[in-house]
Amino acid sequence: MASDSSDEMLEPGGEPCSDPNALTAGQIYAQKQKQKQLEAQGDSSEESYEDEHDPEWINSEDRCQAVCAQLLQQELVAVDIEGVRLGRDGSICIIQVACADGSVFLFDVVVMGASIFGMGLKQLLESESVAKMFYDCRSDADALFHLYGIRMQHVLDMQVLCAKATSPRTHLQGMAKALGHVLPYAERQRIQGIKQAGLRMFAPEHGGKLEIWTLRPLPAILQTYCAADVIHLFSMFAKWEGCLEHSTLRAISETRMRARVDWTSTDPPLPNPALIDFVFPADSLEEDGPPLKRQRQDD
C-alpha cells in the first residue's frame, strides 16, 4: 500500500453513496476487541494499543494451509502488504488478510520465505472467486509479480472507489483521508494515533527504519497498524459499494494494477503516484443494489 504519512484526518463528507444501516467488519472487529478487553481486564477505561488488536500470525505450513483453505471460501477479503521499499526492487515482509467477521491474519514472509505462497496463499491471491480489496494496489501487485511471479486476479481497489465517492479533482486520497470519510470521530482519532505511532517506527522521514518490518517478534503497535490497514477496508466498501458497478470497479482496479506491473525501464516514466491515474465511464453510477452480490447471482 502506498504511504499516507502526509494525510490529515478529515471530517466526514456528505457522500450520497452510503448504507447507514450496515454493520461493517470494522465495527464487528471493534466489538470483539472490546469484549476481549472487558473479559481480560474488567471494565477499565485505560486504553492500550497493544490490547486493541490481536491478529493471528501465520508462520507454519499446517496453519497456513488451513487458513488459506478458510479464506478461499470467502466472498470478499481485505489485503495489504508491508515490506522494505515495497515494489519490484524491494522486499515483502508481511501480507495481511482480513475477513468480514473481523478476523485478521498476518502471513509471515520473513520467516516462511517464498514457500509460504505454495501453501495456499498464491491460490488465494490469484483466485477469481474471491474478491480482494486493497487500498492502492499498485506497489503491492508490483512486488508480488516481480518477486514471486504472482499476478493477482479479482482486485477491488478502495482508492478507486474513494475517488468515485468523494470526487477529488486531481490528487488521490491516501488511506488516512479516506478513513476520515467513513469512520466515527472517536475511531478516526484512535486510528490516527496508531498510524502516527507506527510511522515513527518505520518511516525514515519520521525517524523510523524500514527494516523494522523484518524484526521478529514485530512490535505490538506495528501488528495493530497492520490490522487497522485491512479491517477498515470493509467500512469503506460498506459505505461506498453503491457508487460503482462491481465490474467497473474491478476493471479500473486491475487496469491500473497492470499498468504498474507491466511497466519496464524502456517505457515512458510512470506518472506521479499521487495523481489520479484512471477515468470513470460516464454511466458508472450504480443505482440497482449491491454490485458484488448481484454479480455473484449473475455468475
Side-chain angles (χ1 to χ4, degrees), residues 17 90 123 168 217 253 278:
C17 312
Q123 184 181 358
S253 300
F278 47 84

Side-chain angles (χ1 to χ4, degrees), residues 15-17 160-167 240 243 280:
E15 300 86 7
C17 312
V160 173
L161 194 57
C162 177
K164 180 62 178 176
T166 62
S167 302
W240 295 329
C243 292
F280 297 108

Side-chain angles (χ1 to χ4, degrees), residues 259 263-271:
W263 180 86
T264 70
S265 58
T266 60
D267 294 329
L270 287 167

Side-chain angles (χ1 to χ4, degrees), residues 33 52 63 74 91 155 210 234 258 265 284:
Q33 297 304 319
E52 291 285 344
R63 189 57 183 150
Q74 303 297 308
S91 63
V155 171
L210 288 170
F234 287 96
R258 287 192 296 270
S265 58
S284 62

